[in-house]
Amino acid sequence: MTATSLRQRGPKHLLSMADLDRDDIEQILNLTESFAEVSERSIPRVPALRGKTIAWLFYEDSTRTRLSFETAAKRLLADTMNFSVGSSSVNKGESLRDTVETIAAMGIDGIVVRHGAAGTPRQVSEWTDASVVNAGDGWHQHPTQSLLDLYTARQHLEDLEGKHIAIVGDIKHSRVARSNALGFSAMGARVTLVAPPTLLPSTLDAWPVEVTHDLDAILEELDICYLLRMQLERQGQAVVPSLREYHTEYGLTSARADRLPNDALIMHPGPMNRGVEIAGEVADRPAAVITEQVANGVSVRMAVLFLLLGSGLDVVDEQRAIA
Amino acid sequence: MSADLAITNGTIVDADGIRRADLRIENGVVVEVGEKLDGDTVIDADGLVVSPGFVDLHTHLREPGDEEAETIQTGSRGAALGGFTACVVMPNTNPAIDSLAVVQQVLDAASDALCEIVPAAAMTIARAGEQLAPMAELVRAGVRIFTDDGTGLQNARLMRTALEYAGGLNHLTDGFDVVLAQHCEVESLAAGGVMHEGEWSSVLGMPGQPAEAEELMVMRDIALARLTGGRVHFQHVSTRGSVSMIRAAKEAGLAITAEATTHHFTLDHSACQTYDPAFKVHPPLRTEDDIAAVKVGLLDGTIDAIATDHAPHTRQAKERPFLSAPPGMLGLETAFAVANTELGADIEQLVRLLSVNPAYIAGIDDRHGGRIEAGRPANLTVLDLDEEWTVTGAAMASRSTNTPYEGRTVRGRVRHTFWNGDHVVDMGEATR
């Protein structure tokens, strides 16, 4: 497999981590390294997407992901178009398809979609010729989050083959969990989900994972402890008796963090609930690479946008061109 | 003497079985069944099957309320093209069919229909599950089936009351037991579920409805049928557990009937992986194991009828995200061909499931289903069991296109349909 395989296959969209195999992921992560180097320059700009137009179609509140994508696009000198759902025709009852076709008619190359309903980016991809990037769809997928997590993990652990990652928390309602279960296992890592049964899907038969309800039993063998944000309103749905009990049973307390191996990483997609899924003090330890994840998000999204929207040049050539 | 029409050289399949015979229709009635008949018009049915017209126990024609999705006229044209001569139309219209006035409105709208429109009425006012609809008044207007379809009646006490009250209406129906048809779904367990709860909902990140949400209400209503002696019809049975419980209840002698839709024995929940809302339906598409159980139930008589649950939705409604799109699929124009292709039933079984049994359940077996014999209204369909064709939503008579079988090749085609002798489908084309 060569570095150009993903490009030669001509993927048009990034909708799910299920679309990517290990070689694809490695290619994206390698490209991310080049863009990370760009980001460190005094003028962090490359004209790789000059003349391309990207529209943001965010149907769900997002500050972090959206800023990250916007920064990535700016560094590639792409033009961007912001479709603000709150003040748009969507509130006047326009259908999703009509919205997409309206934006597409203005001439765009890419659409970055976030929506509260699973599968929406895939539907959008069927209504436009532009490339579609899934920036999070309901409980389903958040592929760029997974890629930035893999990139961050790889920076510290080098090869992820055989490494053991625990994903802890509200798996059932988490697109990050669905993406990372696929992403980490594609890279050869062992993935264990840790959650009470009420925060797991009723079956995990199709997931490449192991499951436990006992975080304490596996702490010493982990290379990564990945904590998910606990949706505070879940308490009201009575899926956990109380946030206090959740913290006691499933939170990464100081005592639990002390039992992790010295070189283990603590990761979190943000935003954190300090004192719920992670003790406030633990989030500030050197092992917690949470702000690195955010920083790497920009470079990963540059790589993804470039791969999907870049000019006809071979990836290697373009890497050379931007170097 | 008025013009007559003969159907010759065909194979008649009806409640009596299979036989070779010609028949002659005059003034809307079958006047003769025999050998070597002739008429002013002759349809050569050599190699074709002549069946009593099909009866759909479960049709949504959207009128009144959502005429952009379907009207009684367009839906009935699709029905005729599918071989149906009667459709029991569901009351989840807007307004709901819960009063004499709306029943009359539906019957008025059916004046230009291409098949008989048989209104089912809501069990409760506005299908709200709180207060019984005026059942006696509605029965006097001809209603024989009550249902809150779209939702199940959640309140067990009210379901008991409805069954008990219905038991006192026989004097208005010449002894026919009024049917309470139930869409079985315990809302507190199914709440928010948009597909079957299983490995696909888990991977796709969509809230699921467990099979048990259906089965708990099947269980409850079997118990209430036993308690009251009332007649319960289970709509769109979709799970192995439901089939088993209904089989046991029938063996115990309870007055229970059941239907299954074509989609619940041909499509499984993996269809949802494209997030195409064409595959969103309630109850949801289940597992291959459930499909196998529903097929066995249809073949062994546990499930009495194939119904369509024909549920048109506009293009824009089905272009919403899967989570928020309305549930439902077209079915009238594909039911016979899909069943003929996939069920593994012989033509006698298919005629029982599509015509004889549903006509009996709906209380319209005086004019639909039954036998093809002199003196009966000419409600007939002529079928080619072997013709293959490819399903296309855009080519259908329905105002909507939300078929789940788009692009699929199926076997079996309706060549002619006669409704009270009116030649509403001729050589596969609607005549009006």
Side-chain angles (χ1 to χ4, degrees):
Chain A
M1 188 67 77
T2 67
T4 57
S5 62
L6 186 63
R7 188 55 176 278
Q8 282 167 344
R9 225 172 56 217
K12 183 150 184 195
H13 312 295
L14 179 60
L15 303 178
S16 165
M17 288 303 286
D19 302 336
L20 304 176
D21 64 20
R22 183 175 185 154
D23 291 319
D24 297 336
I25 293 170
E26 280 178 351
Q27 190 190 346
I28 294 170
L29 301 188
N30 292 343
L31 190 57
T32 299
E33 271 176 34
S34 309
F35 285 116
E37 180 270 320
V38 169
S39 296
E40 285 162 14
R41 295 182 195 168
S42 55
I43 302 174
R45 294 281 189 280
V46 278
L49 291 185
R50 188 156 54 197
K52 301 285 184 181
T53 303
I54 304 170
W56 316 119
L57 190 56
F58 277 56
Y59 280 81
E60 195 182 62
D61 286 343
S62 159
T63 309
R64 313 156 71 93
T65 301
R66 176 155 170 174
L67 284 176
S68 182
F69 267 109
E70 283 186 358
T71 306
K74 281 184 182 140
R75 288 185 183 169
L76 297 169
L77 298 185
D79 295 319
T80 60
M81 199 194 289
N82 184 15
F83 188 84
S84 175
V85 170
S87 58
S88 74
S89 46
V90 170
N91 282 347
K92 298 168 192 159
E94 184 175 74
S95 84
L96 178 62
R97 178 170 182 161
D98 287 342
T99 301
V100 169
E101 289 181 347
T102 301
I103 297 173
M106 296 175 195
I108 53 166
D109 302 287
I111 305 184
V112 178
V113 183
R114 168 168 289 201
H115 201 291
T120 306
R122 175 162 178 154
Q123 288 174 295
V124 170
S125 75
E126 284 160 13
W127 298 329
T128 172
D129 292 330
S131 288
V132 175
V133 180
N134 181 0
D137 62 329
W139 306 346
H140 177 224
Q141 284 280 318
H142 192 359
T144 58
Q145 176 72 46
S146 179
L147 290 166
L148 73 88
D149 290 335
L150 292 168
Y151 182 78
T152 306
R154 198 178 78 159
Q155 277 189 312
H156 289 273
L157 303 174
E158 295 181 6
D159 191 357
L160 297 179
E161 178 75 40
K163 297 292 194 292
H164 191 179
I165 173 172
I167 302 177
V168 187
D170 185 357
I171 309 291
K172 181 176 182 175
H173 306 97
S174 174
R175 54 188 169 223
V176 176
R178 281 183 179 76
S179 303
N180 271 336
L182 293 172
F184 277 91
S185 64
M187 299 304 287
R190 177 181 166 202
V191 180
T192 300
L193 305 180
V194 187
T198 49
L199 293 178
L200 290 166
S202 60
T203 171
L204 290 162
D205 287 352
W207 294 47
V209 297
E210 297 160 55
V211 186
T212 181
H213 310 306
D214 185 1
L215 178 58
D216 291 311
I218 59 170
L219 282 170
E220 276 91 359
E221 58 189 70
L222 293 179
D223 298 289
I224 302 171
C225 186
Y226 195 107
L227 304 158
L228 297 171
R229 173 179 168 77
M230 182 64 182
Q231 308 271 327
L232 298 182
E233 65 272 19
R234 298 282 172 230
Q235 189 178 218
Q237 296 174 4
V239 292
V240 291
S242 69
L243 292 177
R244 178 179 170 276
E245 177 155 314
Y246 179 81
H247 179 68
T248 307
E249 298 297 321
Y250 294 95
L252 190 63
T253 58
S254 298
R256 287 201 178 101
D258 290 342
R259 291 175 49 208
L260 288 169
N262 285 336
D263 52 356
L265 302 177
I266 298 166
M267 300 179 75
H268 192 295
M272 284 183 284
N273 296 305
R274 287 174 186 257
V276 181
E277 66 267 9
I278 186 168
E281 171 270 318
V282 172
D284 298 325
R285 292 189 185 190
V289 294
I290 297 158
T291 49
E292 278 179 49
Q293 289 171 264
V294 176
N296 291 334
V298 175
S299 306
V300 160
R301 288 170 177 126
M302 289 171 79
V304 166
L305 292 174
F306 173 77
L307 270 170
L308 298 178
L309 304 176
S311 63
L313 285 179
D314 183 280
V315 170
V316 175
D317 293 342
E318 295 220 29
Q319 269 180 274
R320 212 171 285 130
I322 63 174
Chain B
M1 186 172 162
S2 63
D4 62 356
L5 178 147
I7 302 173
T8 61
N9 303 317
T11 302
I12 291 180
V13 181
D14 64 9
D16 277 348
I18 297 191
R19 63 191 184 281
R20 290 294 290 267
D22 297 350
L23 62 89
R24 196 162 63 80
I25 301 169
E26 193 175 331
N27 292 325
V29 176
V30 175
V31 291
E32 197 176 1
V33 178
E35 302 290 318
K36 296 191 170 25
L37 301 182
D38 202 1
D40 298 321
T41 307
V42 175
I43 291 175
D44 182 2
D46 185 28
L48 305 178
V49 163
V50 183
S51 160
F54 299 150
V55 174
D56 188 16
L57 288 171
H58 199 136
T59 321
H60 298 273
L61 295 186
R62 305 303 185 207
E63 186 175 1
D66 190 10
E67 289 84 352
E68 190 176 347
E70 193 78 286
T71 65
I72 287 174
Q73 209 269 338
T74 58
S76 71
R77 184 185 295 134
L81 287 164
F84 292 92
T85 52
C87 289
V88 177
V89 293
M90 293 294 107
N92 65 335
T93 47
N94 186 15
I97 306 176
D98 62 0
S99 69
L100 203 52
V102 186
V103 169
Q104 198 53 54
Q105 183 180 0
V106 168
L107 293 175
D108 289 348
S111 61
D112 60 353
L114 282 75
C115 69
E116 182 170 348
I117 299 299
V118 181
M123 272 193 258
T124 64
I125 297 291
R127 299 170 50 248
E130 290 167 3
Q131 183 188 350
L132 289 185
M135 294 175 75
E137 181 176 79
L138 290 160
V139 165
R140 284 180 194 277
V143 172
R144 294 293 180 269
I145 296 182
F146 291 86
T147 176
D148 279 357
D149 179 54
T151 55
L153 182 51
Q154 302 297 308
N155 182 323
R157 182 195 55 74
L158 194 55
M159 185 64 186
R160 174 188 180 173
T161 305
L163 282 163
E164 288 178 338
Y165 190 79
L169 299 172
N170 296 29
H171 60 291
L172 304 175
T173 61
D174 292 329
F176 177 85
D177 289 326
V178 167
V179 178
L180 295 193
Q182 184 73 289
H183 168 130
C184 287
E185 182 180 326
V186 173
E187 283 171 7
S188 61
L189 199 54
V194 298
M195 61 180 292
H196 176 66
E197 181 177 300
E199 62 183 87
W200 280 105
S201 66
S202 174
V203 166
L204 295 171
M206 291 200 279
Q209 302 187 4
E212 286 75 6
E214 172 176 317
E215 290 162 358
L216 278 176
M217 194 170 282
V218 170
M219 188 185 296
R220 184 199 77 179
D221 286 352
I222 287 171
L224 293 175
R226 184 165 54 234
L227 176 66
T228 62
R231 185 170 165 195
V232 176
H233 175 73
F234 290 109
Q235 299 178 305
H236 42 49
V237 170
S238 72
T239 79
R240 176 173 289 278
S242 297
V243 175
S244 300
M245 288 187 282
I246 291 165
R247 184 178 290 125
K250 284 183 151 191
E251 283 166 3
L254 298 181
I256 280 170
T257 56
E259 71 188 33
T261 69
T262 45
H263 48 270
H264 284 123
F265 65 81
T266 55
L267 299 168
D268 73 79
H269 58 155
S270 68
C272 302
Q273 66 185 287
T274 61
Y275 293 96
D276 181 347
F279 297 103
K280 181 173 178 181
V281 66
H282 286 177
L285 302 177
R286 305 284 187 185
T287 66
E288 289 184 7
D289 181 60
D290 293 308
I291 288 175
V294 169
K295 280 185 173 178
V296 169
L298 283 162
L299 294 172
D300 74 7
T302 299
I303 303 173
D304 302 274
I306 294 170
T308 68
D309 197 0
H310 179 82
H313 289 290
T314 60
R315 198 198 80 165
Q316 63 266 27
K318 281 292 192 181
E319 284 176 349
R320 294 165 68 174
F322 197 100
L323 271 179
S324 57
M329 305 172 161
L330 300 187
L332 286 168
E333 292 176 62
T334 49
F336 163 67
V338 168
N340 185 51
T341 310
E342 304 246 0
L343 183 56
D346 60 39
I347 185 63
E348 288 179 84
Q349 287 176 307
L350 285 178
V351 168
R352 272 201 295 278
L353 291 166
L354 281 161
S355 177
V356 177
N357 293 349
Y360 175 78
I361 291 168
I364 55 174
D365 51 327
D366 58 329
R367 53 197 189 275
H368 296 275
R371 295 179 182 81
I372 295 177
E373 61 189 5
R376 298 263 302 177
N379 291 315
L380 304 167
T381 185
V382 180
L383 309 166
D384 181 337
L385 303 187
D386 301 316
E387 183 181 334
E388 295 197 342
W389 57 287
T390 300
V391 177
T392 321
M396 290 184 177
S398 175
R399 279 205 169 171
S400 298
T401 59
N402 54 306
T403 172
Y405 299 111
E406 184 74 33
R408 189 185 280 222
T409 297
V410 291
R411 182 167 33 80
R413 188 118 217 198
V414 174
R415 290 280 187 87
H416 301 273
T417 304
F418 295 87
W419 173 43
N420 286 334
D422 187 357
H423 198 171
V424 287
V425 173
D426 183 4
M427 292 306 291
E429 303 284 337
T431 56
R432 57 186 170 89

